[in-house]
Amino acid sequence: MDPRSPKPSRLAPYKQALAALSQRTRTPLPSLVVSFAILHELTAIVPLVGFFYGARSLGVGDTVVRTFTSTGAHTDGSLSRFRDSWAGERFREWMVEGEARAERVGRRYGWFGFEKGSKPDDAAAESPTARAETALVSGTIAGDVANAVVAYALTKAFLPVRIGLSMYLSPAFSRAIVQPVGSALTSAFRR
């Protein structure tokens, strides 16, 4: 090997795989990337809204949050084992993240029982995540906030499915939506 030749990039295998995918699907790579990004966001927003309204209509938000935050001995062994497992810990982390996001959105838009534009009472003392973790542990999450927390955690749990679905649908979405819209915009600006 010639010492003066450039080293291959660490991204070279990915570039080759993406180029092969683009060639195999007969879809330009930029259009494929835009399609994936749009589909990935759609596969986050649609389930989030669906899970929220599903939890709301079934009334399971409070129950799920209480189940994952309670540490009492009245729970059965399998639930206790799940709560103590890696998956249970991860689900609790997502619930804390979800509560922080629900609070932020609720305060910004006046949703979930928060006053629009209100600031937390102890804004200087704690971060939103710390407040969310305290609320989760103390069991003060209720109503639509609990439904939003459950919806957020379930949407996060479906991330591998969302990515796979986005990758599978990207070539067709690109050909049906992204390329025609891109062509129409390009022709409109060329005039």
Side-chain angles (χ1 to χ4, degrees):
M1 182 173 176
D2 186 12
R4 293 175 291 181
S5 67
K7 292 182 181 178
S9 170
R10 290 189 322 192
L11 299 177
Y14 300 111
K15 289 179 184 177
Q16 291 170 350
L18 287 172
L21 177 67
S22 175
Q23 192 173 27
R24 187 173 57 243
T25 60
R26 294 182 305 278
T27 309
L29 187 58
S31 174
L32 205 56
V33 170
V34 169
S35 297
F36 176 81
I38 292 170
L39 286 170
H40 182 67
E41 291 306 314
L42 283 175
T43 60
I45 294 168
V46 171
L48 185 68
V49 171
F51 287 141
F52 174 78
Y53 283 109
R56 187 181 202 187
S57 65
L58 296 174
V60 298
D62 294 330
T63 306
V64 171
V65 169
R66 250 191 328 260
T67 300
F68 275 92
T69 58
S70 68
T71 57
H74 63 279
T75 58
D76 67 5
S78 61
L79 182 59
S80 178
R81 281 192 304 272
F82 176 74
R83 229 189 0 247
D84 296 336
S85 70
W86 173 86
E89 288 291 324
R90 199 74 180 135
F91 199 75
R92 264 196 303 286
E93 287 175 22
W94 292 335
M95 287 173 49
V96 168
E97 285 177 31
E99 204 281 329
R101 289 180 185 264
E103 180 183 356
R104 191 171 69 228
V105 168
R107 290 185 188 283
R108 182 173 187 168
Y109 298 108
W111 295 349
F112 311 131
F114 289 101
E115 186 177 324
K116 186 174 183 175
S118 67
K119 301 284 183 212
D121 296 335
D122 53 357
E126 290 183 291
S127 70
T129 305
R131 279 194 310 276
E133 196 161 356
T134 302
L136 190 66
V137 170
S138 67
T140 58
I141 298 174
D144 280 345
V145 175
N147 295 329
V149 167
V150 169
Y152 180 82
L154 286 173
T155 303
K156 289 286 272 190
F158 276 95
L159 182 65
V161 174
R162 290 176 32 225
I163 290 174
L165 188 63
S166 298
M167 288 179 70
Y168 178 74
L169 295 174
S170 287
F173 186 78
S174 175
R175 287 189 295 273
I177 305 291
V178 174
Q179 288 176 344
V181 168
S183 296
L185 289 174
T186 302
S187 65
F189 285 111
R190 282 193 180 160
R191 293 180 194 181

